[in-house]
Amino acid sequence: MKIVVIKGSPRKKGSSNMLAEQFIKGAAENGHRIVELDAAHMSIHPCLGCSSCGMNGECAIKDDNSHIRDELLSADMAVFVTPVYYFGMSAQLKMVIDRFYSYTIKLSSKHLKTALITAAWDSDDEVMLYIKEHYKKLCRYMNFTDMGMVLGKGCGTPSMTAVSRHMEEAYILGRSV
Ligand SMILES: Cc1cc2nc3c(=O)[nH]c(=O)nc-3n(C[C@H](O)[C@H](O)[C@H](O)COP(=O)(O)O)c2cc1C
């Protein structure tokens, strides 16, 4: 499979990217081809809501998002990687998802496999509730098949993440796809 990993943290060596690396290690061991896209360090702008694309045409904005679009439209699986920011995904990742708008029909007809990898400081039961529900709804709307979620509670810093059970969990998810 071609697996596109979309990273949404401004911290290149941060917790969510550490978990993503574990996933990638496992998936690569299974022989999958991994394409990593660091959306947080690409030039991507928010959707203008101009509807010139009609949800199935050219986006009016010319930026690095066209690269993400091309990679996703030739992928078998996408992995969404993000820190938890105020109980949701980062703005960096949300911009990529909002920009699905111009190719929603094409992307949803691909029936992509997907996964979610997150990191948050808190470790209470509620911290992942809203990001998880958002992701699940996105999967239903976009005809994605969820292959698994790594909900990295208590992963507030790289040192916290390094000793968390979520590192192994991410690796096992990678091995399972
Ligand atoms: C703007 C901002 C909002 C945050 N919101 C939350 C939050 O709602 N809940 C939480 O547990 N941690 C929150 N955090 C902490 C991060 O989720 C946490 O430090 C995480 O490890 C960052 O992942 P990263 O290193 O991959 O960027 C927030 C951090 C920032 C900078």
Side-chain angles (χ1 to χ4, degrees), residues 18-96:
M18 285 171 68
L19 296 172
E21 283 312 310
Q22 291 296 110
F23 172 89
I24 289 166
K25 184 166 175 265
E29 284 173 10
N30 275 358
H32 298 301
R33 184 160 80 86
I34 316 293
V35 176
E36 287 182 65
L37 297 174
D38 189 355
H41 295 92
M42 294 167 80
S43 175
I44 299 174
H45 298 83
C47 177
L48 294 171
C50 66
S51 287
S52 67
C53 64
M55 291 183 90
N56 193 26
E58 277 299 303
C59 180
I61 306 170
K62 304 300 171 209
D63 61 12
D64 290 346
N65 193 61
S66 56
H67 180 52
I68 296 183
R69 170 194 160 120
D70 291 348
E71 293 290 359
L72 282 176
L73 289 177
S74 60
D76 304 291
M77 178 169 182
V79 182
F80 303 111
V81 181
T82 180
V84 171
Y85 280 179
Y86 293 95
F87 312 105
M89 66 182 70
S90 68
Q92 289 87 341
L93 180 63
K94 185 62 164 52
M95 275 196 289
V96 172

Side-chain angles (χ1 to χ4, degrees), residues 16 19-20 23 79-83 115-119 148-151 170 173:
S16 56
L19 296 172
F23 172 89
V79 182
F80 303 111
V81 181
T82 180
L116 175 68
I117 295 177
T118 65
M149 300 177 222
V150 176
L151 304 173
L173 179 60

Side-chain angles (χ1 to χ4, degrees), residues 8-19 81-88 90 117-124 127-128 152-158 160-161:
S9 172
R11 297 176 180 161
K12 285 182 189 251
K13 296 188 185 306
S15 297
S16 56
N17 285 345
M18 285 171 68
L19 296 172
V81 181
T82 180
V84 171
Y85 280 179
Y86 293 95
F87 312 105
S90 68
I117 295 177
T118 65
W121 189 286
D122 294 343
S123 50
D124 59 89
V127 68
M128 294 295 179
K153 297 187 211 177
C155 291
T157 63
M160 289 161 76
T161 306

